[in-house]
Amino acid sequence: MEKYKICPVCKARNEPTLLECMSCEADLTSVRITDEETEEPSAEAAVAQSGAPATMVRVCECGAKNPSNGRKCFSCGEDISDITPAPEEAGAKKSLSCTLSSLDGQYVYKMTKSQAVIGRENAMGEYLSAKAYVSRAHARLFLEDGEPYIENLSGTNYTYVNNRKILEKTRLQDGDEVALGGMNIDGRRQEQAAYFMMRIV
């Protein structure tokens, strides 16, 4: 009888010797080898049968929930490739943790309120004070319907998301690059502007 590994993310059958899923590249190192006789319904399938969709996550030792195909924890940076994805608890309210991390990793701003004005004389002021292209009140970071948004407040050097000047409130996604006061020109970032990576867990 044919033996295989079932991907915990996309449910594809893989050769038993593979360490990554051929379909979605999810980690298979901790997935047990099975066959048609011993195959058990997965936890995700059980939740799907109950009519509630399951979101698969990798829960780091620090408690942060990461995407099922994540290899490093967005919160603490630990290797999570050996953690088997599991369904997010049904009925659990999603609690977002939003942070802006400087691209060099030297500064992290964690959003602790539903909104914050960021700039040289507001939130993040200790880091932004030396950035001449950043206004005193440069942008507003806020949650709306549980989702993070950013809105430009500067009338001179503006706010950019993924190198595009924003003209109205813009929803932020995990991994977006947020620039205050400058953009990436021919692969070079402006020294007096500030650049961050948005992380949402």
Side-chain angles (χ1 to χ4, degrees), residues 82-122:
D82 60 341
I83 297 174
T84 304
E88 194 170 15
E89 294 173 19
K93 188 178 178 184
K94 243 182 175 177
S95 175
L96 291 180
S97 172
C98 304
T99 58
L100 282 176
S101 302
S102 62
L103 298 185
D104 61 8
Q106 298 299 310
Y107 179 82
V108 176
Y109 173 75
K110 185 168 185 177
M111 211 176 153
T112 57
K113 298 178 180 177
S114 61
Q115 72 169 338
V117 173
I118 52 180
R120 285 187 291 116
E121 292 184 5
N122 285 277

Side-chain angles (χ1 to χ4, degrees), residues 120-139:
R120 285 187 291 116
E121 292 184 5
N122 285 277
M124 300 171 63
E126 68 278 10
Y127 178 76
L128 297 171
S129 61
K131 302 291 185 179
Y133 291 175
V134 179
S135 300
R136 289 177 290 182
H138 197 99

Side-chain angles (χ1 to χ4, degrees), residues 31-108:
V31 175
R32 66 182 179 83
I33 298 169
T34 188
D35 57 35
E36 289 180 0
E37 284 184 1
T38 60
E39 184 179 341
E40 297 174 4
S42 68
E44 186 181 29
V47 173
Q49 287 173 0
S50 71
T55 302
M56 301 298 281
V57 294
R58 280 184 170 160
V59 182
C60 178
E61 288 180 0
C62 74
K65 292 179 182 177
N66 295 270
S68 58
N69 60 350
R71 299 200 175 263
K72 283 196 172 182
C73 177
F74 286 140
S75 181
C76 68
E78 283 295 310
D79 181 6
I80 56 168
S81 59
D82 60 341
I83 297 174
T84 304
E88 194 170 15
E89 294 173 19
K93 188 178 178 184
K94 243 182 175 177
S95 175
L96 291 180
S97 172
C98 304
T99 58
L100 282 176
S101 302
S102 62
L103 298 185
D104 61 8
Q106 298 299 310
Y107 179 82
V108 176

Side-chain angles (χ1 to χ4, degrees), residues 31 108 110 131 157 161 164 171 174:
V31 175
V108 176
K110 185 168 185 177
K131 302 291 185 179
N157 292 325
V161 175
R164 289 181 159 171
R171 184 174 170 219
D174 182 61

